[in-house]
Every structure is written in C-alpha cells, then in structure tokens.
Amino acid sequence: ALAKRLDDKSAAVRLSAAEALIHLGEPAETVLPVLTKALASEQPGEADAAARVLGELGPEAAPAVPAINDRVATADPLLTDRLAEALGRIGPAARDALAGLKAKLAADKDAPLYRVPAAVALWRVARDPDAAPLLRTALADPKGRATPPAVLWRIDPLDETVKALEKHLKADDAADVLAAAAALGARSKETVPALARLLKSENGATRIEVAVALSAFGPDGAAALDALRAADRLGPSAPVAVALYR
C-alpha cells in the first residue's frame, strides 16, 4: 500500500512514502525514480526534500549522481547545501559531480553559504586537496554553516591549519574558542592561555566547560584552574570537581 503512494498526485505524499520505504528497508531502486524527478522541481521544498532523502540513502543513491549534478548548476544556496551533503554521503561514486560543484563554488557569490558541506563532500568523495583551504577560509567567515575545527584538523593537520585554529582561539564566542582548543589540544602553546582567558567569563556554564577542558592539560592547565578556584568562581559543580581532581 505504501509503495502505491509513490504515484500519488501530491509531491509531499510521494516523498514521504519514499522516505518511509527507505526506513523499512526497501531497495533504493524502488524510490530513486521519485527522488530524481523531484530534484528537478522548482516547487519550494520539493527538491530540497529529495536531496535530503538521497543523502539518507548514502552510497545506494549513486545512480542519482547525474541528476544531482544537473541540479547543482541552478540550485539556490540552501538546496546546494543539501546536494553537497548528499554527494558526500554517496562517497566515491559521486566523483563525476565534483567538477560541477567546484565550478559553482568558484563562480557563485553565495558560495560561502554552502562552502562547508561542499568542502566536506570534496574530501569524502575524492580526498580532494581543495577541501582543506575551503574549510580554513570558512573558519574565519561567519556566513553559512560553521566549520567544525575537529573536521578541519582531521582533514589537514598541518601548519596552515594550526595557524587558522590559533586565530580561532581569539574569537569572541566562547564556543568557538572551546572548539578550536579541543582540536588543537597541546599541539599549540596558545591553547591554554586562550582557555584561561575564558575563565573570566560571567557565565558559570562556560567556566565549567573551560575547567573541564583545562583539566586535560595536566600541569599546564593546573595554574589557571588554581587561580579560578582561589577566586571562588568554580562553584560546587560536580563536573568541575571531577575536572580538578581526575
């Protein structure tokens, strides 16, 4: 009965049925015709939903790569984000679509809005060396998705990435600093001072996170933690106690 809904007049019903069938373990070829057709739609949300479901299929969506490649050229930033994520999840079988994605990244003024998923797709599909420079650029650009520092470090643990992450340690947002610190660890002498700076935060939750992070640095983080404890700014939090004495 559910399979019959793939022929429903409503695109929403067809796509919902396709997703449900995937979750029930139906073969990809059962739903791919519906999904690839929806990719070409100009109706708001239809192509976006199809791209998301194709991403859920992962490598099984390989036959849809030509359709994804065709849609990338005219897709808006949100849809391009979804298409890039789908290509990354498909993996090496999506290699033929990378040239089109890279061409769009180079020519589109809105490329910063989908640069991160595109870079991740380049890496997942072909270990493309352009992925790391794209992620380093995105790290300093507030547009689009945030770049997880850990992802950048995993792709390219070299000097340029260290410098980019050290710059991120100076960010105003505590979450950015903590993420960069987690990626760099003791590889940079700038990490502990950057975390110590956050100990002055008026936000108790931030101080707890910083204390836990500093505890991983052993003696190097002990001085900063002792200063905070002496100032009675840690509070009675159990996580902090664990951080101080583990």
Side-chain angles (χ1 to χ4, degrees):
L2 191 57
K4 291 182 179 180
R5 296 190 179 184
L6 294 175
D7 297 318
D8 196 275
K9 293 181 179 180
S10 166
V13 171
R14 293 195 300 270
L15 290 168
S16 295
E19 186 169 17
L21 286 167
I22 289 170
H23 292 163
L24 290 172
E26 283 293 317
E29 56 263 28
T30 302
V31 299
L32 282 176
V34 170
L35 298 176
T36 53
K37 182 179 179 179
L39 277 183
S41 173
E42 295 298 334
Q43 293 300 314
E46 189 173 339
D48 182 79
R52 178 180 56 78
V53 178
L54 285 168
E56 291 179 13
L57 275 172
E60 291 183 90
V65 169
I68 295 173
N69 187 38
D70 290 344
R71 194 66 175 96
V72 163
T74 58
D76 63 23
L78 177 59
L79 178 55
T80 306
D81 182 301
R82 292 284 197 191
L83 294 170
E85 187 165 342
L87 290 172
R89 292 186 175 187
I90 290 170
R95 186 181 292 268
D96 288 347
L98 294 189
L101 182 59
K102 292 174 78 170
K104 183 162 187 174
L105 280 166
D108 188 3
K109 64 180 177 59
D110 291 323
L113 297 176
Y114 53 82
R115 184 164 43 200
V116 169
V120 172
L122 293 178
W123 183 256
R124 283 180 169 177
V125 172
R127 294 297 190 261
D128 193 303
D130 287 340
L134 283 168
L135 288 174
R136 282 196 293 270
T137 300
L139 195 65
D141 191 335
K143 294 180 182 178
R145 286 199 207 182
T147 303
V151 173
L152 175 56
W153 181 259
R154 182 177 179 181
I155 289 176
D156 187 50
L158 300 176
D159 289 345
E160 279 190 83
T161 294
V162 170
K163 291 176 183 177
L165 291 173
E166 285 180 339
K167 187 174 182 180
H168 215 52
L169 287 173
K170 299 175 183 177
D172 293 328
D173 191 319
D176 290 339
V177 177
L178 284 161
L184 282 170
R187 302 177 188 92
S188 171
K189 64 181 181 181
E190 304 294 330
T191 306
V192 170
L195 289 172
R197 174 170 59 85
L198 291 182
L199 291 175
K200 299 176 183 178
S201 172
E202 295 300 320
N203 187 311
T206 295
R207 296 198 303 273
I208 290 171
E209 286 189 71
V210 174
V212 172
L214 281 169
S215 71
F217 288 85
D220 290 336
L225 286 170
D226 286 344
L228 186 62
R229 183 170 52 183
D232 196 26
R233 300 198 68 192
L234 283 177
S237 168
V240 173
V242 172
L244 286 172
Y245 294 108
R246 70 179 178 180

